[in-house]
Amino acid sequence: MGKVLKSIQQNKAKMFWVYILKCSDGSYYTGHTDNLEIRVAQHKAGECPGYTATRLPVEFAWSQEFNTREEALSAERQIKGWSRKKKEAMMRGDWAEVSRLAQSKSAHGSTSSPRTDLLLRGDDEDPN
């Protein structure tokens, strides 16, 4: 029985998250991690040197789960290229506005991929 349980635990998929924190100056920080709870706590405690450490306090604003680190990193990079308005629309779950903002930007020669909306917008997405 112990071997079966160990095998199940080893095969359990590790999950990854993209997250956004709101900093004290009103700016947003986007990152990815394999342990959301610990990483957010590290940011709040000022234990992550760099951007958030100089903008404390920070508060958790949004996250989405991914199956692989590569997917999470890709989504993080995509989001970091978005405007503040587009990020805020995504955090509200206003996908019509995200799409509108993407089309508006692409009309001005953006290199953003329209596939981003598909990457981040899953049918099983947690509404929180």
Side-chain angles (χ1 to χ4, degrees):
M1 188 72 156
K3 288 183 180 182
V4 172
L5 181 58
K6 187 174 183 178
S7 176
I8 290 170
Q9 289 172 338
Q10 288 174 343
N11 290 328
K12 183 179 176 188
K14 186 171 192 172
M15 299 307 295
F16 299 88
W17 288 266
V18 172
Y19 61 94
I20 297 178
L21 303 175
K22 187 169 186 180
C23 300
S24 63
D25 65 359
S27 65
Y28 292 112
Y29 174 83
T30 303
H32 79 280
T33 185
D34 61 1
N35 191 320
L36 185 60
E37 186 177 330
I38 288 175
R39 181 55 55 90
V40 171
Q42 289 171 330
H43 279 290
K44 286 183 173 189
E47 295 172 3
C48 295
Y51 193 84
T52 58
T54 62
R55 290 165 175 83
L56 294 174
V58 296
E59 61 184 62
F60 176 80
W62 175 89
S63 70
Q64 182 166 338
E65 194 172 77
F66 290 88
N67 290 322
T68 68
R69 184 175 299 279
E70 292 76 18
E71 290 172 335
L73 180 58
S74 177
E76 174 191 352
R77 287 178 175 160
Q78 204 67 59
I79 292 168
K80 282 182 173 180
W82 288 3
S83 69
R84 179 180 185 87
K85 286 184 178 184
K86 191 171 179 182
K87 289 174 188 174
E88 289 173 344
M90 178 194 63
M91 288 187 280
R92 289 191 312 269
D94 186 349
W95 293 103
E97 181 67 0
V98 170
S99 180
R100 187 190 72 75
L101 290 166
Q103 290 172 359
S104 172
K105 189 169 183 177
S106 66
H108 295 72
S110 169
T111 58
S112 296
S113 169
R115 294 176 34 203
T116 303
D117 295 340
L118 298 176
L119 174 68
L120 294 172
R121 185 178 170 188
D123 291 334
D124 58 345
E125 183 179 337
D126 181 16
N128 296 322

